[in-house]
Structure formats: C-alpha cells, structure tokens
Amino acid sequence: RYTEHRGSPKSEIAAHPQSTMPPYNHSSSSIEIPADLVDSLGCKSPYDALLALADESERTAAKLAEELALCLSGVGGSSNKSTPSKRKSKIEASSDPNKDDARKFPIPLPKSLRDAPRPTPASPSTSADGENDSGNAADDKNNNPTPSRTLHKSNPSHPLTHATLAAESILSSLSKIASGGSAASSEMRALERHRQAIDAEALDMEHALQIREGCVRGGDSLMGRRYADAARAVADVNAILDGKGSYIGQKATERAKELAGNDALMSHDTTTVVLKRAIGERYEGAVRNGDVAGLSELTPLLAMLDMAELGVKLYLEYSQSCLCAAMNLEPPDLSAPIDVSNMPREEGMSRAAMRRRAEEQVRAQQNQSVPMKLARIYNAAVTHIRHHLPMVAYALGEADGDAALVQLVHVEAEKRSVDILRESMVERELGRTVRRAEVVATKVEGRYASASGKSGDELDGGMFGMDENNIANVIMGLGGGGDAAGTDIVARRNAAQREDCGFTIEVGNLSDVDAALEEWALCMQHTESYERFIRHAVKEVIKARKLRREQKREERRRLREMEDARNRDDGGGESALLGSPTAPRKTAAENEEEFDDEVEERIEILPPHTALNEVAAEIGGYYSSLERCLLLASLQRAFVHANFPDDSTFTEVAIGNSSGGAHNSYYHGRRAAPLQTNLVEECLFAARRSTLRAFATGHTGTASAAANVCVDVLGRVLLEVLTRRAELGVSLVKPGEGLLGDGDQSNLGAAAFSFAKSTAGKGLRGVQARAGGGKVGDANEESAEELHRRTVLGVARAAANFNDLEVVADYTKRLEANFLKEIDAGYPNARDTEQLRMCVKGLSGVVESFTQASRRSMEELISVILPRARQIVNESVGPRDGGGGGAQGASNFLGGPVLTGGTAAKATSTALDYNLDDAAFELSQISEGYIGRMCSSLDELIEPLRVHLLPKLADDLMIGILGGVSKRLEAAIRKSKFTPLGAISLDSDIRYLMNFAKDRIDSPELKSNVTLCRACPSLARLNQITLLMNVDDLEDALDLISVSKRKGNWDLKLDDAKTLLSLRVDFEGAKVNDLLQVDEE
C-alpha cells in the first residue's frame, strides 16, 4: 500500500484538508520517497528519506482510517459528492482544536501516542547528505541539532525519545558501513577489469605469435614438400582463427589478427590454397594408380584441410576399382602363356614347378563352383572393409565416409552374389526339382506313415517286403542261401530298394542329392557369414557416429561453460554487491536443447531386408523341401535294409548296462545279450546329419524348418514303422503259434517248425538243405539242432523290435541335447534363435511318443503270452478232488504228490489242496509241489524272450505275467479249504513265487517285497490273502485289516475277507459274519 500512493504525495495531502497534524516539511522535487526501509539506505540522504517515508506512511494511514470510518458509519460515495449537512459537520469539526486526533484518526489512538512529541524538520542550512556547507561537523552538531536531540531536550524521559535516538545511531553506523563498502567494491571491480584487460592482451599476443609461427612453419613445409607438416600447420592456424579443437572458446580477436599482421594472414591463405591443390592432385593420382601407400598417407590430411567431401568421393572411386578387380570371376585364358619371371620364387622350387603350380591355379579358376565364387566375392568385400574402414572412419568420418564405404562394398558384393545365385537356381531347375521332390516325399509318407489301412499291393509290397514269406527270413535268418526258392537276401533287398516311390527317377540318386544339398548349404553358410559381418560393420559405423556426436556435444557444453564463466567475471558490478537478484539459470533440458540444435539425422546404411536376404530366404525354402525328401528317402532305404536282414543288421544294445551284467541267465552255455537292429541308428544318423547341415548354414529360418522336419519325420514315420515292427514281433513270438513253445524247452523247436512251415513254406526245407549234406538220418538230427539254434536266433531278433523303441527314445533324447548345444555354440542370443530352440524342443514330445509306443507294445506282448501262462497255472493246480488230509492222497506244501514206499508214485493229476493234517504236512516237506512246476513252466515260457529284452522291458514283461498268474492263483485258492497247516503251506508257496519274481527282475527298486507288491497289485492281493489266512483267531484278522488300511497297503474288501476266512475249517462262518458285520445269506 505504501508503493501504491507514493507517486503523488501532494494530491494525497490536498485530498485530506482536515488533517491538522504538521507534516514533515520537505521538497518533493528534491527528496525521493523510497519503497521500503532497505531502499532508503541507498539514497543520498538516508535521514531525509526515512522522514519522507514516515510522513508518507502517516498520510496513507490517515486516508485509510477515514475510509474505514466512512464505511463503518454507513455513509457511502466519494468525498466530492458529500451533502451540505455533511460538509457543515466537517467545518464544525475542524473549528474544534480539541478534536484534532479524532478528525485525523476516527478510531481513537492510545494516549501515549496522542501525547507523543512530534519531530521538527532540520534547518534549511543542512545539505542533502547531512553535512553543512562549511564542512565543520562540530559546528553543525552545536548549531543545527537533529530532531532526536530536540526531542531529548524537550522530553528526555519519553520512550519514543529513546527509540528515536537509538534508530538515529543505528542509521548513522549503517550509512558509514555502506559508504565504506561501496568504495572498496569499486576498487575491486576496477582491479578485476584491469586484470581481465591484461589477460586479453596477453592471449591476443599469444594467438598472434602462434599464427605467425604456424604461417612460417606451413610455408617452409610446403616449400620442402612435407605435406603432412604443412597440413598440420594450416590446421593449427585455422583452429586459432576459428576457435576450434584445443582452442575452443578462445577464438582469435581482431586485435590478435592485427598483431599477427596482414602479411602473415595472406601467407596463410596462400599456403592453404596451394596445399589443397597439391594434395588434391596427388590424391587423384593415387586413386588412378591404385597406390595404397599414397592413399594411406594422404587420406588423414584431407580432414585437416576441410577436403573430406572430395576425399570421400575419390576414395569411393578407388574402392570401387579395387572391388571390381578382386571380384572379377571371368576365367583366365588358358591359351595365353604363363610368365613366371615376375612371380616370387620360393626357395627350392624350380621355374618349371612354379609354372605347373600357376597352370593348376588357372585350371582351378576355370572350374569354380558356386560356393567358391561366392567365397571369393565375400572374402574380397570383407577384406576391403577390414583394411580400409578404420582409416576412413578416422579421417573421413565427419563426411560420412565410413557409411558410404560400407554401402559401396555391400552393393558391389550383393549385385554379383545375387546374380550368381539366381543363375545357379535357373541352371539347375531348383524350383522344378523341389516340386518333384515334394511329390516323392508325399508318396514315401503315405507308404510308411499311413500304411495301416492299406494292403500290401497298394503299397508296392508293404512295409515288410513284397510278400509274407519274408517274415520267416526276417525273424529266423533263413536268407543268405543261393537256392532257387528266392531266399537270396541281397538280391531281394536290391529289388526292394528299386521300389523307392520314384525318388531316383524324379530327384536323383541319394549321393547326388546329398552332394547338391551340401553345395547349397555351403552357399547359404557363406551368405549368412557375410550378412553377419556386414551387419556388425554397420553397427560399428553407427556407434562411431554416435561417439562423434557425443564429442561435439561435449565441446559445445565446454564452450558454453567457458562463456558463462567469462560473463560472470565481466558482470560483477554494483548490483552484485547490493544483493540484487541475478538472471535465472537455464535448466539441463534447455541446455540439451541448445546442444542439439544441429542434431544429425539418422541415416539408413543398410535396409532391414536386402535383395541378398530375399534370395537367401528363397533358397532356404527350397533347401528345406529337398532336405525333407532326402531324409525320407534315407529312412526308406534303412527300412528296406531292415526288412531283409543279415548278420550285420543286429547288434548288441548300446544303451544302459543291458549288455552282459544286466541278465544273470545263461542260454546254451553263453550269457544272453539283448539285440537291436541298425534301423534306429541309420534313421537317427540321417536325421542328425540333415538337421546339423541345416544348422551349419547359420540361417535361422532354414534351421527352424529343418528342425521341424526332423521332429515330424521321427514322430510320425519312424514311430509308425517301429510300432508296426513291434506288432509283428508280438505275432511272431505268440506261444503255440509262433516261436515260443508251450512252456516246455523241448517244444521250442516244434513250435518254430510249425510256424516256419505255415508261414514261410519253403523256409524249413532251406534250413534242411543248408544243414544237411550227409546221410538222411544224420540230416534229421542236424536239422533239429539247427532248427533249435535258428529258433533261439529268431526269438532274439523278434525281441530286438521291442528294444528298438526304447533305444530310439534314448537316442532322440540325446539328439535333442546335441541340437541345443549346437544352437548355443553357433547362434547369437536373439528372438529368432529362441524360436529355433523351441522347434528343437519339440523332440521331447517325440521321446514321449516312443515311450508310450514301447509301453503299448509290451502290453500287447503280455496279452499274447498270458493265455498260455493261465493254462500253465491251471495245469499245475489241477482239478480239485475235494480230498481231505490222508497220507495217500495228500500233497506236499508245494502242491505236488508225496513219495510213498520208497518209490515215486506217479500221479496222473494233482489238485491244489491246503486242507492238510499233521501227517500230510510232514510228508509235504520231502517232495515238490505245484508252485515249483508252475514257476518252472513259466520260466521255460518267458525266459527265451526275457533274456533278449532290455532290463526295463524284461521287468515290465515279468510283472505283467505275474499279475495274470496271481489272479489265476487267487481264483484257485478261493476253491480250497484251509487248515492252520495249510495256511502255513500257502505262505510258503507265495514266498516262493515272490522270490522267483525277484530273482528274475533286474531293477534294484523292485527287489523288495513292498515295491514289488506296489508294482503288481494282483501279487499284493495274494500276499494279503496269505496274511489273512494265517491269523490265529478272528480278532487278529480285524486288527490286521485296520492296521493295513491305515498304512495304505490293503486292497481286499470285507466281502472278500469274509469269504476267505470262511475257508478256514477252524473258523465258524457265523462268527466270521458277526465279527466282520456282514449279513449271512
């Protein structure tokens, strides 16, 4: 409010004529009214300024008080519109001297303020700065006392008098301090300006001396043709004149140029012009002559002389000429004589040898393949970039010479390589060949992967040959002879291989197609390697451009900081000492915007997809289709070879510890070893070779397509073939109808004889013809022995079909790990690489498919063997005679007949009977029972097959047979009565059966009773029945059931328990029903 009314003090006083308080008498034209107390210290007369400020404040307060009084009294309007009554009341009020304070202050003031003394103005003789004209301070104090001294004399005890004196003292001290500080500040500023002037003069002198020295040095170097020294001298002078480089922020001033002299500047200009012309001429000559040494010497000088644009143009011309010479693929003229005089002669080599080597090199250039041509082009491009890009980036990078060089090299290489690849595709009719290959691949897939619903005639002989007679040869090894019956395996194999779904006619031989794919893979590998290199070079060029931009930004920042520092040094004036606010600082974002005024646009050195990428992708698609057809043809060849086997077709299994120590059985004096066919190894080798060859190309799309092909072929075609071969193996070992006998070792050969006679026809006669050669009687004996050996071999080879499924699952898992390792070693971490890795991980599903197929084949094998196993159980148990416990009709604890009278009484039938008394139990300890004969017959049934299976498959077979046998035994046990001694015999029989199973199980996890019962629930039920039948009383049975249920190893229901306990002759049925709470009906 003070500043609001300070501009017109006279008008404010005239507007309030009723104010009678004597104002401070001052001249408004000479005294400046300050804005506040702080500003009063800067006036010439602080005392007068404070008094004027006080008077102005008092008038303003009076005006505000009057306005407030008018508002409180309810009178509105302005003073010029007052009514006559109001004006009359004002006049009356002004005539009353006792109401001064009331008129001036409508709101009453405190008495102390009303009675306070008023200061009187200073005498006119006092000057504006508080000193009299004579300058005598003592006389001024005595003759012209201040208002505070006047108050002190009139009212010495009043508080305002003391306050006025104190304020006057403080004001005097502050005035002296301000005047002294202002003088000192003025002296310091003068000294600082003097120092800056001296520094500027010294810097100008230094710049002038450096300009003269540079001009002299440049001229002398130019006269001596030391162009590099002359260029450096010219660059140094230009840096001083333009304020660049190490002289950033220190640009030479006009005074420095005057000190240097016009002669020096003119000499510098002349030197620059002559030097540019000389270096330009020499550079052009080096480009025309291909002088690499001259170019290396002159190129760094171009940037010093601001000739980068011209240097880039000339250097690109030189690079283009070099690339054209290095990438020239025209074959040399063989008729031209070879001059070996200019060739470097190696030590110990004659001129004739040098000539022969040169001729060989010329002939090699005449017969260059497509990969060799591409390699020559790519190597020339890569070599040129590696040799020239660092120098160009250093010397010509400011003019984008590095980016232009990379673009030129890529254009030259791309143009030639694309033409070569296109010509090769047209010449070899790649598109047409791929279309024919796709048709052949579809036929092969239909022949093997979809053969389940078609007949042998529709499939050109089917999966296993051209007729069913081949089955006997596959299993029993009846081929290899030279009889007229057509058992020559080699001839039939060759005939079957000619039926290859048209692969040889439409596509070509396997070796030719494989060689063509090797060549195309090599072309793609060269292209992908060059692509990765050129992309890396582009990234390095972009990185160098970014570094240069950051360097420029840093120079601009340093220049701005130096200018700001210089401005702060020059601007330290009076306002800084008085604490006046400085100019606001710019933010970091504003500084960055100023630094980025000259932001360079990001240039596209290479497009994301070039013509070379397009032709590589096209070749990759063709390559994937051909690779798929070749893989299917390789698998087809392996299938045909496996359908007509010889001794080399089967080998011992190479996974796990199956060979040797896994099985403890001996067969015909030798330890049995599981076999596998080479079908799995051939198929997996073909798949691995095909996929790794695609991986070697480095092209992620081609590698992903090859991985998908591998997963599809293994998961469909190979799985279908191995599954059907396992089904064939099941039909060939079927007991009674196949190679397995009826549970008697002597019947093994008869079963094989019957099988071969019914299926192979002339197969047995072929065996007899090869085994015979002497007398007829000897021939019959030898034929039986040979037939037995052939049968054992047939069982082993049939088991190999089951082993193949486990082997292929293990090999596929290893193949997946191998592929993932190759990806990690040969591909960068990118999104396409992760996609390729996911394609390879599809082999995990293929492994699971093979495992499930193996499980299904074993279940089918068990279902075929189980009928004969149940028959063996029925024959061992025998019909029940319902007999009771006599000595003559009793059986021992194994269920067999007892020996009486010291001779073996041959019983025609033996029934399972556990209704034994003391005499029968004693006699049962010396003879063999039904359980021993049953286990022996089961062993003779499944042992020839079990010993030739992998341990896992053999365990599955054993557990499956035990499950069926246990169910049959449970049904027989439910038909017999039990005495306590019979229950003990039952416990012995079940223990014997479990020991028999554990002796023939290979897995260590199944060697305990608990794990064995968990794996075979039917055997667990027999064990529970044994525990239930051996209880001493019925209450123990209830405790046994409750405890076993809490442990989770009880499967018998209460109805089953009631039925079984009722078989005990010493337990009453009513008590059993009451105890187990089962209604008796």
Side-chain angles (χ1 to χ4, degrees), residues 677-816:
T677 64
N678 56 7
L679 171 64
V680 174
E681 294 183 349
E682 291 180 1
C683 294
L684 268 295
F685 174 78
R688 180 177 180 273
R689 174 182 171 82
S690 172
T691 310
L692 290 182
R693 180 164 53 193
F695 284 2
T697 62
H699 193 266
T700 310
T702 303
S704 300
N708 291 332
V709 167
C710 178
V711 171
D712 179 69
V713 171
L714 294 182
R716 292 196 308 115
V717 180
L718 184 59
L719 176 63
E720 180 68 23
V721 170
L722 293 180
T723 301
R724 296 191 63 194
R725 289 179 66 87
E727 294 174 356
L728 175 65
V730 169
S731 62
L732 294 176
V733 298
K734 186 176 182 180
E737 300 178 4
L739 295 173
L740 295 182
D742 296 335
D744 189 357
Q745 191 77 319
S746 60
N747 294 331
L748 184 61
F753 176 81
S754 176
F755 170 77
K757 184 176 180 180
S758 60
T759 58
K762 301 178 180 179
L764 184 58
R765 290 196 293 274
V767 173
Q768 293 174 349
R770 290 190 297 274
K775 297 180 181 180
V776 177
D778 296 336
N780 293 334
E781 184 177 356
E782 292 177 0
S783 298
E785 183 180 356
E786 179 68 15
L787 182 60
H788 187 272
R789 188 185 68 82
R790 291 283 185 177
T791 304
V792 174
L793 179 62
V795 173
R797 291 184 175 182
N801 294 324
F802 304 104
N803 297 334
D804 284 345
L805 287 171
E806 288 295 321
V807 172
V808 74
D810 183 77
Y811 282 5
T812 306
K813 187 182 298 183
R814 297 183 190 180
L815 189 64
E816 179 185 1

Side-chain angles (χ1 to χ4, degrees), residues 419-437:
D419 292 342
I420 291 174
L421 292 174
R422 293 289 185 189
E423 291 176 1
S424 179
M425 292 169 61
V426 173
E427 180 182 355
R428 302 186 182 186
E429 298 182 349
L430 186 58
R432 182 180 178 185
T433 303
V434 168
R435 288 191 293 271
R436 292 198 300 263

Side-chain angles (χ1 to χ4, degrees), residues 518-586:
E518 285 283 347
E519 186 174 349
W520 285 115
L522 198 56
C523 293
M524 296 183 63
Q525 184 183 34
H526 292 339
T527 303
E528 185 64 24
S529 299
Y530 166 76
E531 179 70 19
R532 292 186 183 182
F533 174 81
I534 201 68
R535 294 293 178 183
H536 174 72
V538 169
K539 290 181 180 179
E540 292 299 321
V541 169
I542 294 175
K543 187 185 298 183
R545 289 169 55 85
K546 184 178 180 181
L547 291 177
R548 288 193 295 268
R549 179 182 172 187
E550 292 294 334
Q551 185 178 4
K552 291 181 180 179
R553 180 181 298 175
E554 183 65 21
E555 291 180 356
R556 290 195 298 267
R557 186 186 63 80
R558 288 170 52 196
L559 177 60
R560 180 175 179 81
E561 289 179 354
M562 295 176 64
E563 292 177 353
D564 292 343
R566 188 182 302 110
N567 294 334
R568 285 195 299 269
D569 293 340
D570 296 339
E574 183 179 351
S575 60
L577 292 176
L578 294 177
S580 60
T582 59
R585 294 181 178 271
K586 294 185 178 181

Side-chain angles (χ1 to χ4, degrees), residues 686-984:
R688 180 177 180 273
R689 174 182 171 82
S690 172
T691 310
L692 290 182
R693 180 164 53 193
F695 284 2
T697 62
H699 193 266
T700 310
T702 303
S704 300
N708 291 332
V709 167
C710 178
V711 171
D712 179 69
V713 171
L714 294 182
R716 292 196 308 115
V717 180
L718 184 59
L719 176 63
E720 180 68 23
V721 170
L722 293 180
T723 301
R724 296 191 63 194
R725 289 179 66 87
E727 294 174 356
L728 175 65
V730 169
S731 62
L732 294 176
V733 298
K734 186 176 182 180
E737 300 178 4
L739 295 173
L740 295 182
D742 296 335
D744 189 357
Q745 191 77 319
S746 60
N747 294 331
L748 184 61
F753 176 81
S754 176
F755 170 77
K757 184 176 180 180
S758 60
T759 58
K762 301 178 180 179
L764 184 58
R765 290 196 293 274
V767 173
Q768 293 174 349
R770 290 190 297 274
K775 297 180 181 180
V776 177
D778 296 336
N780 293 334
E781 184 177 356
E782 292 177 0
S783 298
E785 183 180 356
E786 179 68 15
L787 182 60
H788 187 272
R789 188 185 68 82
R790 291 283 185 177
T791 304
V792 174
L793 179 62
V795 173
R797 291 184 175 182
N801 294 324
F802 304 104
N803 297 334
D804 284 345
L805 287 171
E806 288 295 321
V807 172
V808 74
D810 183 77
Y811 282 5
T812 306
K813 187 182 298 183
R814 297 183 190 180
L815 189 64
E816 179 185 1
N818 188 11
F819 287 166
L820 293 177
K821 185 177 179 180
E822 290 292 333
I823 293 174
D824 295 336
Y827 286 84
N829 292 328
R831 184 183 63 180
D832 295 339
T833 305
E834 187 63 27
Q835 181 181 0
L836 173 59
R837 189 176 287 108
M838 295 304 298
C839 293
V840 171
K841 289 183 178 180
L843 290 174
S844 300
V846 178
V847 173
E848 183 64 24
S849 300
F850 285 132
T851 304
Q852 294 178 0
S854 176
R855 188 181 303 113
R856 289 193 300 267
S857 65
M858 291 309 300
E859 292 175 355
E860 186 176 357
L861 177 62
I862 292 171
S863 64
V864 170
I865 298 178
L866 270 181
R868 177 55 191 158
R870 295 190 185 99
Q871 184 179 359
I872 290 175
V873 174
N874 293 336
E875 292 175 356
S876 301
V877 169
R880 288 191 65 242
D881 57 358
Q888 299 295 328
S891 63
N892 59 13
F893 76 100
L894 293 178
V898 299
L899 299 178
T900 58
T903 60
K906 184 176 181 180
T908 57
S909 62
T910 303
L912 180 148
D913 190 5
Y914 291 106
N915 190 11
L916 304 177
D917 54 7
D918 294 339
F921 183 76
E922 291 293 337
L923 292 175
S924 65
Q925 305 300 317
I926 60 175
S927 60
E928 183 181 10
Y930 80 96
I931 197 71
R933 291 196 305 275
M934 183 190 72
C935 292
S936 178
S937 300
L938 290 176
D939 203 15
E940 293 173 354
L941 174 65
I942 64 176
E943 190 67 10
L945 178 61
R946 190 187 69 83
V947 296
H948 294 290
L949 293 173
L950 284 170
K952 180 180 180 300
L953 301 180
D955 294 344
D956 294 342
L957 176 63
M958 194 67 196
I959 290 175
I961 297 300
L962 282 177
V965 169
S966 299
K967 291 180 180 179
R968 200 67 176 178
L969 281 177
E970 181 180 352
I973 288 172
R974 288 173 178 268
K975 299 178 181 179
S976 175
K977 292 293 184 178
F978 284 82
T979 62
L981 295 177
I984 296 175

Side-chain angles (χ1 to χ4, degrees), residues 65 72 146 158 247 326 356 406 419 442 449 458 460 492 494-495 510 619 642 696 778 784 858 874 962 967 1043 1046 1055:
L72 293 176
T146 60
H158 197 277
Y247 298 95
R356 285 194 298 270
V406 172
D419 292 342
T442 304
E458 294 175 347
D460 297 333
R492 299 187 64 188
N494 294 334
L510 286 175
I619 293 176
D778 296 336
M858 291 309 300
N874 293 336
L962 282 177
K967 291 180 180 179
V1043 171
R1046 283 197 300 269
D1055 293 339

Side-chain angles (χ1 to χ4, degrees), residues 217-231 275 278-279 282 297-298 301:
R217 181 161 46 93
D220 295 342
S221 300
L222 182 60
M223 292 297 294
R225 295 188 178 182
R226 298 190 302 272
Y227 298 109
D229 297 338
L275 183 61
I279 291 181
R282 291 173 59 87
E297 178 184 357
L298 296 176
L301 307 181

